[in-house]
Amino acid sequence: MIVHSGFRGLRYTDGRFDRVLEPGRYELPKRRYPRQRIPRVTVVPVDVRERELNIKGQEILTADKVAVRVNIITHFRVVDPTAAVERVADYNDRIYSDVQLAARRSLASMTLEAILTNRNQLSEDILRDVEGVSAGYGVQIIRADVKDLAFPGNLQEIMNRVLTAQRMAEAQMVEARTRAERDTLEANSKAAAQRLAAEADAEAKRIRADAEVDALRRLAAAAEAYAEHPALLRLRELETLGALGANAEARIYIGFDKHAERPTGD
């Protein structure tokens, strides 16, 4: 006989479990001579691949007494073929009932609002509840996801309205938050620009004031020098007259004292 890949074979000899057969080809006992008694050997194939079990239409009451119809998809794998066959009559039926009971216990402890807002928590609770039990009969529960939740007709309509209102409120909150952030950025940018402009204006005024002070200081020094040395003032006047004389359009008027006596000639 042949045990195919993805399976394990449980070999029974005269009704007693003998051993687990890995994938491969095996020879069964044969009668070598007439009337020879040979053991009766049977091999039970066990699928050890990951499989899916869909648990549909479970109507369960929540903690606040709302009837909820739930569909659960369970992914599992046989990790101990001997335990899966020897310890329970049908491990598929046992998985179905264990997941169903775990879902009932979990849903019965949650309110409708908690179920709607945190469906992942429901799946995690079911998995945590059932994985320890299934390990006792050689099955590993990989996932137990809540696929669908159905409610009574009038409740469904109410919940749709509530969800629509929540989405609109969330959208308005996001829009208001975005507008507030934009206004804050604009205000900060405007304040920064005004601060920079004020700083630049103050700096320009300081530079002008320093220049005026320096100019006054220079004028004071020049006045003091002219007072001590009148010849310097006269030289400055001559330089100024020379500069004006270089301009063809300049007009220079030199005043003489009208009361000064004219020299008499011969």
Side-chain angles (χ1 to χ4, degrees):
M1 67 156 299
I2 295 176
V3 177
H4 294 279
S5 179
F7 289 79
R8 298 294 183 270
L10 300 185
R11 172 174 168 146
Y12 291 85
T13 302
D14 291 336
R16 292 179 177 273
F17 172 71
D18 186 0
R19 59 192 175 96
V20 178
L21 303 180
E22 297 294 325
R25 182 183 180 90
Y26 298 90
E27 294 290 336
L28 297 178
K30 296 182 180 179
R31 186 178 286 107
R32 298 179 178 276
Y33 50 85
R35 297 185 180 181
Q36 178 189 8
R37 183 184 179 283
I38 60 173
R40 183 180 178 85
V41 176
T42 57
V43 177
V44 178
V46 180
D47 192 342
V48 295
R49 298 170 297 179
E50 182 177 331
R51 285 183 285 167
E52 178 180 295
L53 181 63
N54 196 354
I55 303 175
K56 299 181 179 180
Q58 300 301 308
E59 188 168 321
I60 305 171
L61 287 177
T62 64
D64 45 359
K65 307 304 179 184
V66 177
V68 177
R69 187 176 296 273
V70 60
N71 294 335
I72 305 170
I73 295 180
T74 303
H75 293 262
F76 69 94
R77 178 190 297 116
V78 174
V79 293
D80 186 348
T82 305
V85 173
E86 293 284 323
R87 295 181 185 177
V88 292
D90 189 324
Y91 62 86
N92 287 288
D93 291 343
R94 182 63 182 272
I95 294 171
Y96 190 99
S97 60
D98 285 344
V99 172
Q100 182 186 49
L101 292 173
R104 290 184 180 278
R105 285 191 292 269
S106 182
L107 282 169
S109 64
M110 299 175 67
T111 63
L112 180 61
E113 182 179 0
I115 295 170
L116 292 175
T117 56
N118 196 0
R119 185 182 297 189
N120 290 335
Q121 182 63 44
L122 177 58
S123 299
E124 292 171 3
D125 289 346
I126 296 173
L127 178 61
R128 184 170 51 251
D129 192 354
V130 76
E131 61 183 355
V133 177
S134 65
Y137 50 87
V139 174
Q140 177 190 8
I141 305 297
I142 301 170
R143 297 173 59 185
D145 294 333
V146 176
K147 180 181 179 182
D148 298 311
L149 286 171
F151 310 99
N154 57 341
L155 181 61
Q156 183 70 46
E157 183 179 355
I158 295 172
M159 293 307 302
N160 288 337
R161 293 179 182 176
V162 171
L163 291 175
T164 301
Q166 289 178 346
R167 292 191 187 99
M168 291 181 63
E170 291 172 358
Q172 291 174 352
M173 289 179 62
V174 170
E175 183 180 358
R177 189 181 300 114
T178 303
R179 187 185 305 111
E181 291 175 354
R182 184 178 64 250
D183 293 344
T184 301
L185 289 175
E186 291 177 354
N188 291 338
S189 300
K190 186 176 180 180
Q194 291 176 347
R195 184 175 63 255
L196 292 175
E199 292 175 355
D201 186 56
E203 182 67 15
K205 289 181 179 179
R206 186 187 64 78
I207 293 173
R208 286 197 299 270
D210 291 344
E212 291 175 357
V213 170
D214 186 62
L216 291 174
R217 188 181 297 114
R218 291 178 182 274
L219 289 173
E224 184 178 353
Y226 292 150
E228 292 179 359
H229 305 284
L232 293 177
L233 180 59
R234 183 59 181 167
L235 180 61
R236 182 64 176 169
E237 291 176 354
L238 293 175
E239 289 178 352
T240 303
L241 289 173
L244 291 173
N247 187 355
E249 298 180 358
R251 297 291 183 268
I252 302 174
Y253 299 92
I254 301 176
F256 298 96
D257 190 356
K258 63 180 178 179
H259 299 290
E261 295 182 356
R262 297 181 180 180
T264 57
D266 295 342

